[in-house]
Amino acid sequence: MSEPDRGTRAEFTVLAEALRPELHRYCARLMGSVIDGEDVVQDTFAKALVALEDLHEAPHLRAWLFKIAHNRALDLLRGRAIRAAEPVEAAENVVDEINLDPLESLMHEEAMHTAVSRFHELPVLQRSAVILKDVLDEPLAEIACLLGITIDAVKGHLARGRARLREINAQSIPLPNRTAPSPAVVRYVTLFNQRDWNGLRALLAEDVKLRQSSHPLRSGAADVGLFFTIYAKCDGIWLVPAWLEGRQVIAVFSAQGDPKPTHLMWLEWSGERISFIRDYRYAPYIVDDAELVF
């Protein structure tokens, strides 16, 4: 790799880490899930690193990463057949009055306090426009470039998306059911809080895998077992079972009794053995938007 290539890659690495929380705020709301949003962020950086090798000149990294993330999210939404249908041209000739006055800050406050899952009730273009403008405060011209539509179309999607979001937020939201965690998760949490690292290693399947944000995937019980060795050096950490987006997760606190977790874990099981661990220690921003039920 040449010196310019190394420089571009180094710049990418630094900027990527700085952009992770912002990219996640966009992707989580676009996907309607903080967990799926982080998957998109990880896919984005993986694709960008590969694409960097073939670029003849350094791109504008921020805009480039958002474009990759946006396209990846849309691919996943199409694949799951849950993308709301709204033709791009539907808003091409709709220009709503969007004035730069105190109402803009109110829109920002409303968007920031709207549950991540509720954005998914908007059609994709309205969803993207509202997130990019009211959550991330992107200029209209850059939103138009990212979405591949005109500025007038952005204004139309933004106005209708804002109106729909107000309707959504005016509706009463039932509290999620407080369902007891599974015995398997309770056992894992209990062993962890007792610092029984050998007991935890005994729960690992031989072909278990561990993923931690941008770190390389670990595979096999011996390699993944080192995961607990690292946590053994962290005093006071306390685990609590929780539910997030219909999934059983584990909230990780710096100490028992802390009001807010620092990050999350998510386990997959094969019978009574753990087959996959997703540890979000290096993606603490996920907790900021997570709607946890304990």
Side-chain angles (χ1 to χ4, degrees):
M1 181 180 291
S2 66
E3 289 300 326
D5 290 338
R6 289 195 191 95
T8 300
R9 197 178 185 92
E11 181 187 357
F12 169 82
T13 301
V14 172
L15 181 61
E17 287 305 311
L19 275 179
R20 286 187 80 95
E22 197 173 0
L23 272 172
H24 182 262
R25 284 198 295 273
Y26 178 62
C27 294
R29 288 166 174 81
L30 198 58
M31 299 299 297
S33 161
V34 296
I35 290 177
D36 294 344
E38 178 61 14
D39 288 343
V40 174
V41 171
Q42 292 188 30
D43 288 350
T44 296
F45 291 142
K47 288 177 177 292
L49 279 172
V50 172
L52 271 179
E53 304 295 335
D54 297 325
L55 292 178
H56 298 296
E57 59 183 39
H60 183 273
L61 289 177
R62 188 180 187 280
W64 186 57
L65 285 173
F66 265 90
K67 187 68 173 180
I68 295 173
H70 177 79
N71 290 337
R72 177 56 181 157
L74 292 192
D75 286 344
L76 290 173
L77 290 171
R78 291 189 192 99
R80 296 172 188 174
I82 58 174
R83 182 184 180 193
E86 182 189 44
V88 171
E89 62 272 13
E92 283 292 339
N93 299 314
V94 180
V95 182
D96 296 80
E97 291 296 327
I98 301 178
N99 301 313
L100 295 176
D101 56 27
L103 283 177
E104 288 291 314
S105 61
L106 292 179
M107 295 296 184
H108 172 74
E109 285 297 314
E110 183 168 20
M112 288 299 294
H113 289 91
T114 297
V116 168
S117 59
R118 306 228 81 188
F119 281 89
H120 209 264
E121 299 180 39
L122 299 178
V124 168
L125 286 174
Q126 291 181 19
R127 193 186 319 165
S128 294
V130 170
I131 298 168
L132 289 167
K133 182 60 181 174
D134 293 342
V135 177
L136 299 176
D137 196 27
E138 292 291 305
L140 292 178
E142 293 193 17
I143 297 174
C145 182
L146 174 62
L147 301 182
I149 57 179
T150 66
I151 292 178
D152 284 349
V154 171
K155 292 179 179 179
H157 288 301
L158 182 58
R160 291 187 296 184
R162 285 171 168 174
R164 177 61 184 139
L165 202 61
R166 287 195 296 272
E167 294 174 1
I168 291 170
N169 286 334
Q171 300 168 0
S172 60
I173 305 173
L175 292 174
N177 294 326
R178 296 177 179 270
T179 308
S182 69
V185 168
V186 170
R187 184 183 179 194
Y188 178 92
V189 167
T190 300
L191 289 171
F192 199 106
N193 289 339
Q194 291 174 346
R195 304 302 190 257
D196 186 350
W197 309 119
N198 288 332
L200 287 169
R201 293 187 183 96
L203 293 179
L204 300 176
E206 285 302 317
D207 58 350
V208 64
K209 292 179 174 58
L210 166 68
R211 182 173 294 283
Q212 293 178 294
S213 298
S214 56
H215 289 61
L217 182 72
R218 290 182 179 269
S219 300
D223 194 20
V224 174
L226 297 174
F227 171 69
F228 301 117
T229 303
I230 295 171
Y231 269 108
K233 301 175 182 178
C234 303
D235 294 333
I237 284 183
W238 191 259
L239 270 53
V240 176
W243 290 88
L244 173 64
E245 302 167 358
R247 318 179 206 207
Q248 288 192 83
V249 297
I250 296 168
V252 183
F253 294 81
S254 293
Q256 187 177 6
D258 278 1
K260 181 180 178 180
T262 58
H263 62 282
L264 304 173
M265 293 183 192
W266 176 32
L267 308 178
E268 292 183 18
W269 299 80
S270 178
E272 296 183 354
R273 297 296 183 92
I274 300 170
S275 59
F276 209 123
I277 300 175
R278 287 178 174 83
D279 178 62
Y280 296 102
R281 181 180 182 182
Y282 302 107
Y285 46 81
I286 289 179
V287 175
D288 294 338
D289 292 322
E291 302 163 59
L292 291 166
V293 178
F294 293 99

